[in-house]
Coordinates of all heavy atoms in Angstrom, one line a residue:
Chain A
T171 N -59.3 22.0 263.0 CA -60.2 21.6 262.0 C -60.7 22.9 261.3 O -61.1 23.8 261.9 CB -61.4 20.9 262.7 OG1 -60.9 19.8 263.4 CG2 -62.4 20.5 261.6
I172 N -60.6 22.9 260.0 CA -61.1 24.0 259.2 C -62.4 23.7 258.4 O -63.1 24.6 258.1 CB -60.0 24.7 258.4 CG1 -59.3 23.6 257.5 CG2 -59.0 25.4 259.2 CD1 -58.4 24.3 256.4
V173 N -62.5 22.5 258.0 CA -63.7 22.1 257.2 C -64.2 20.8 257.7 O -63.4 19.9 258.1 CB -63.3 22.0 255.7 CG1 -64.5 21.4 254.9 CG2 -62.9 23.3 255.1
T174 N -65.5 20.6 257.8 CA -66.1 19.3 258.2 C -66.9 18.8 257.1 O -67.7 19.6 256.5 CB -66.9 19.5 259.5 OG1 -66.1 20.1 260.5 CG2 -67.3 18.1 260.0
I175 N -66.8 17.6 256.8 CA -67.7 17.0 255.7 C -68.4 15.8 256.2 O -67.9 15.1 257.1 CB -66.9 16.7 254.4 CG1 -65.8 15.7 254.6 CG2 -66.4 18.0 253.8 CD1 -65.1 15.4 253.3
K176 N -69.5 15.5 255.7 CA -70.3 14.3 256.0 C -70.4 13.4 254.8 O -70.8 13.9 253.7 CB -71.7 14.8 256.4 CG -72.5 13.8 257.2 CD -73.9 14.4 257.5 CE -74.3 14.2 258.9 NZ -75.6 15.0 259.2
D177 N -70.1 12.1 255.0 CA -70.1 11.3 253.8 C -71.5 10.6 253.7 O -72.4 10.9 254.5 CB -69.0 10.2 253.9 CG -69.1 9.3 255.1 OD1 -70.2 9.2 255.6 OD2 -68.1 8.6 255.4
D178 N -71.7 9.8 252.7 CA -73.1 9.4 252.4 C -73.6 8.4 253.4 O -74.8 8.1 253.5 CB -73.2 8.8 251.0 CG -72.0 7.8 250.7 OD1 -71.3 7.5 251.6 OD2 -71.9 7.4 249.5
K179 N -72.7 7.9 254.3 CA -73.2 7.0 255.4 C -73.5 7.9 256.6 O -73.9 7.3 257.7 CB -72.1 6.0 255.8 CG -71.8 5.0 254.7 CD -71.0 3.8 255.2 CE -70.6 2.9 254.1 NZ -69.3 3.3 253.5
G180 N -73.3 9.2 256.5 CA -73.6 10.1 257.6 C -72.5 10.3 258.6 O -72.7 10.9 259.7
V181 N -71.3 9.8 258.3 CA -70.2 9.9 259.2 C -69.5 11.3 258.9 O -69.3 11.6 257.8 CB -69.1 8.8 259.0 CG1 -68.0 8.9 260.0 CG2 -69.8 7.4 259.1
E182 N -69.2 12.0 260.0 CA -68.5 13.3 259.8 C -67.0 13.1 259.8 O -66.4 12.4 260.6 CB -68.9 14.3 260.9 CG -70.4 14.6 260.8 CD -70.6 16.1 261.2 OE1 -69.9 16.5 262.2 OE2 -71.5 16.7 260.6
H183 N -66.3 13.8 258.9 CA -64.9 13.8 258.9 C -64.4 15.3 259.1 O -64.8 16.2 258.4 CB -64.3 13.3 257.5 CG -64.7 11.9 257.2 ND1 -64.0 10.8 257.7 CD2 -65.8 11.4 256.6 CE1 -64.6 9.7 257.3 NE2 -65.7 10.1 256.6
D184 N -63.5 15.4 260.1 CA -62.9 16.8 260.3 C -61.6 16.9 259.4 O -60.7 16.1 259.5 CB -62.5 16.9 261.7 CG -63.7 17.0 262.6 OD1 -64.8 17.4 262.1 OD2 -63.6 16.8 263.8
L185 N -61.6 17.9 258.6 CA -60.4 18.1 257.8 C -59.5 19.2 258.4 O -60.0 20.3 258.7 CB -60.8 18.6 256.4 CG -61.7 17.6 255.6 CD1 -61.9 18.1 254.2 CD2 -61.0 16.2 255.5
T186 N -58.3 18.8 258.8 CA -57.4 19.8 259.4 C -56.4 20.2 258.4 O -56.6 20.1 257.1 CB -56.6 19.1 260.5 OG1 -55.9 18.0 260.0 CG2 -57.6 18.5 261.6
L187 N -55.3 20.8 258.8 CA -54.2 21.2 257.9 C -53.2 20.1 257.6 O -52.3 20.3 256.9 CB -53.4 22.4 258.5 CG -54.0 23.8 258.2 CD1 -55.4 23.9 258.7 CD2 -53.1 24.9 258.9
C188 N -53.5 18.9 258.1 CA -52.5 17.8 257.9 C -53.3 16.5 257.7 O -54.4 16.4 258.0 CB -51.5 17.7 259.0 SG -52.2 17.3 260.6
Q189 N -52.6 15.6 257.1 CA -53.1 14.2 256.9 C -52.0 13.2 257.0 O -50.8 13.6 256.9 CB -53.9 14.1 255.6 CG -53.1 14.5 254.4 CD -53.9 14.3 253.1 OE1 -54.2 13.2 252.7 NE2 -54.2 15.4 252.5
K190 N -52.3 12.0 257.1 CA -51.2 10.9 257.2 C -51.4 10.0 256.0 O -52.5 9.8 255.4 CB -51.4 10.1 258.5 CG -50.9 10.9 259.7 CD -50.8 10.0 260.9 CE -50.2 10.8 262.0 NZ -50.0 10.1 263.2
W191 N -50.3 9.5 255.5 CA -50.3 8.6 254.4 C -49.2 7.5 254.6 O -48.1 7.8 255.0 CB -50.1 9.3 253.1 CG -50.4 8.4 251.9 CD1 -49.4 7.7 251.2 CD2 -51.6 8.0 251.4 NE1 -50.1 7.0 250.2 CE2 -51.4 7.1 250.3 CE3 -52.9 8.4 251.7 CZ2 -52.5 6.6 249.6 CZ3 -54.0 7.9 251.0 CH2 -53.7 7.0 249.9
P192 N -49.6 6.2 254.4 CA -48.6 5.1 254.6 C -47.5 5.2 253.5 O -47.9 5.3 252.3 CB -49.4 3.8 254.5 CG -50.7 4.2 253.9 CD -50.9 5.6 254.2
I193 N -46.2 5.2 253.8 CA -45.2 5.5 252.9 C -45.0 4.4 251.8 O -44.5 4.7 250.7 CB -43.8 5.7 253.6 CG1 -43.4 4.4 254.3 CG2 -43.8 6.9 254.4 CD1 -42.0 4.5 254.8
R194 N -45.5 3.2 252.0 CA -45.2 2.2 251.0 C -46.4 2.1 250.0 O -46.3 1.2 249.2 CB -45.0 0.8 251.7 CG -43.6 0.8 252.5 CD -43.4 -0.4 253.1 NE -42.4 -0.2 254.2 CZ -41.1 -0.2 254.1 NH1 -40.6 -0.3 252.9 NH2 -40.4 0.1 255.1
N195 N -47.4 2.9 250.2 CA -48.5 2.9 249.2 C -48.4 4.1 248.3 O -48.3 5.2 248.8 CB -49.9 2.9 250.0 CG -50.1 1.7 250.8 OD1 -49.2 0.8 250.9 ND2 -51.2 1.6 251.5
A196 N -48.6 3.8 247.0 CA -48.6 5.0 246.1 C -49.9 5.7 246.3 O -51.0 5.1 246.5 CB -48.5 4.5 244.7
R197 N -49.9 7.1 246.2 CA -51.1 7.9 246.3 C -51.8 7.8 245.0 O -51.2 7.8 243.9 CB -50.8 9.3 246.7 CG -50.4 9.5 248.1 CD -50.0 10.9 248.4 NE -51.1 11.8 248.3 CZ -51.9 12.2 249.3 NH1 -51.7 11.7 250.5 NH2 -52.9 13.0 249.0
P198 N -53.2 7.7 245.0 CA -53.9 7.5 243.8 C -54.0 8.8 242.9 O -53.8 9.9 243.4 CB -55.3 7.1 244.2 CG -55.4 7.7 245.6 CD -54.0 7.7 246.2
C199 N -54.2 8.6 241.6 CA -54.4 9.7 240.7 C -55.5 9.3 239.8 O -56.0 8.2 239.7 CB -53.1 10.0 239.9 SG -52.6 8.6 238.9
K200 N -56.0 10.3 239.0 CA -57.1 10.0 238.1 C -56.7 9.2 236.9 O -57.2 8.2 236.5 CB -57.8 11.3 237.7 CG -59.2 11.0 237.1 CD -59.9 12.3 236.7 CE -60.6 13.0 237.8 NZ -61.1 14.3 237.4
E201 N -55.6 9.7 236.3 CA -55.2 9.1 235.0 C -53.7 9.4 234.8 O -53.2 10.4 235.1 CB -56.0 9.7 233.9 CG -55.8 9.0 232.6 CD -56.6 9.7 231.4 OE1 -57.0 10.8 231.7 OE2 -56.7 9.1 230.4
R202 N -53.0 8.4 234.2 CA -51.6 8.7 233.9 C -51.5 9.3 232.5 O -52.2 8.8 231.6 CB -50.8 7.4 234.0 CG -50.5 7.0 235.4 CD -49.8 5.7 235.5 NE -48.4 5.9 235.2 CZ -47.4 5.8 236.2 NH1 -47.8 5.6 237.4 NH2 -46.2 6.0 235.9
L203 N -50.7 10.3 232.3 CA -50.5 10.9 231.0 C -49.2 10.5 230.4 O -48.3 10.1 231.1 CB -50.5 12.5 231.3 CG -51.8 13.0 232.0 CD1 -51.6 14.5 232.3 CD2 -53.0 12.9 231.1
P204 N -49.2 10.6 229.0 CA -47.9 10.2 228.4 C -46.8 11.2 228.7 O -47.0 12.3 229.0 CB -48.3 10.2 226.9 CG -49.5 11.1 226.8 CD -50.2 11.0 228.1
A205 N -45.6 10.7 228.5 CA -44.4 11.5 228.9 C -44.0 12.3 227.7 O -43.1 12.0 226.9 CB -43.2 10.6 229.3
T206 N -44.7 13.5 227.5 CA -44.4 14.2 226.3 C -43.8 15.6 226.5 O -43.6 16.4 225.6 CB -45.7 14.4 225.5 OG1 -46.7 14.8 226.3 CG2 -46.1 13.1 224.8
I207 N -43.5 15.9 227.8 CA -42.9 17.2 228.1 C -41.6 17.0 228.7 O -41.5 16.2 229.7 CB -43.8 18.0 229.1 CG1 -45.2 18.2 228.5 CG2 -43.2 19.4 229.4 CD1 -46.2 18.9 229.4
P208 N -40.5 17.6 228.2 CA -39.2 17.3 228.8 C -39.0 18.1 230.1 O -39.6 19.1 230.4 CB -38.2 17.9 227.8 CG -39.0 18.9 227.0 CD -40.4 18.5 227.1

Side-chain angles (χ1 to χ4, degrees):
Chain A
T171 301
I172 51 170
V173 172
T174 308
I175 59 177
K176 195 183 230 172
D177 63 18
D178 46 10
K179 292 194 188 87
V181 183
E182 292 213 326
H183 298 274
D184 290 338
L185 301 181
T186 62
L187 272 56
C188 60
Q189 56 179 290
K190 288 189 169 182
W191 190 262
I193 59 169
R194 293 179 203 278
N195 296 3
R197 286 177 65 91
C199 60
K200 194 180 276 174
E201 189 184 13
R202 286 177 78 106
L203 303 172
T206 47
I207 302 175

